[in-house]
Amino acid sequence: MMIFIVGRILLGGYFIYSGINHFLEHKGMVGYSKSKGVPMAEIAVPATGIMLVFGGLAIVLGTFVSIGMWILIIFLVITSFAMHQFWKIKDPMAQMPERINFLKNMALVGALLMLLALPLPWVYAIL
């Protein structure tokens, strides 16, 4: 059981950290988002930051788990196909980090889908 709790903290913590970073590094993330063609990046960055924090907290706390994970899955799929289009990049050195980020996001989607298969409520859920 403890291994499940540690896994929840690590996975949820990753999303919480990433979401908080959307606010701490707002200017840089807006610039990066604009460079990738994201419309209304000034709004999209904090909005996705909220999505990430909410989803991460849902996993860590075991509260609103299904909603939180579907929000994360939607975020990851849209972000992956919109911002990490490695297949369009010709330069292998520029393509590599985009491929890594795309595949990492797909692996996270897989992990979230597996967690959705577990019965709720989770052990040690806050609510």
Side-chain angles (χ1 to χ4, degrees), residues 64-86:
F64 303 108
V65 173
S66 294
I67 296 168
M69 287 196 290
W70 278 113
I71 287 170
L72 291 173
I73 289 167
I74 291 165
F75 165 81
L76 288 165
V77 169
I78 291 171
T79 300
S80 297
F81 283 95
M83 298 188 66
H84 302 301
Q85 300 175 359
F86 67 91

Side-chain angles (χ1 to χ4, degrees), residues 54-125:
F54 177 81
L57 285 172
I59 293 169
V60 170
L61 300 176
T63 306
F64 303 108
V65 173
S66 294
I67 296 168
M69 287 196 290
W70 278 113
I71 287 170
L72 291 173
I73 289 167
I74 291 165
F75 165 81
L76 288 165
V77 169
I78 291 171
T79 300
S80 297
F81 283 95
M83 298 188 66
H84 302 301
Q85 300 175 359
F86 67 91
W87 55 90
K88 291 184 176 181
I89 302 171
K90 300 290 185 223
D91 177 23
M93 293 304 289
Q95 186 187 65
M96 187 179 0
E98 297 301 338
R99 183 185 312 116
I100 290 168
N101 281 318
F102 182 90
L103 294 174
K104 179 246 325 158
N105 286 353
M106 292 301 104
L108 288 169
V109 167
L112 292 168
L113 290 171
M114 287 189 295
L115 285 173
L116 280 171
L118 297 178
L120 294 171
W122 286 347
V123 176
Y124 302 116

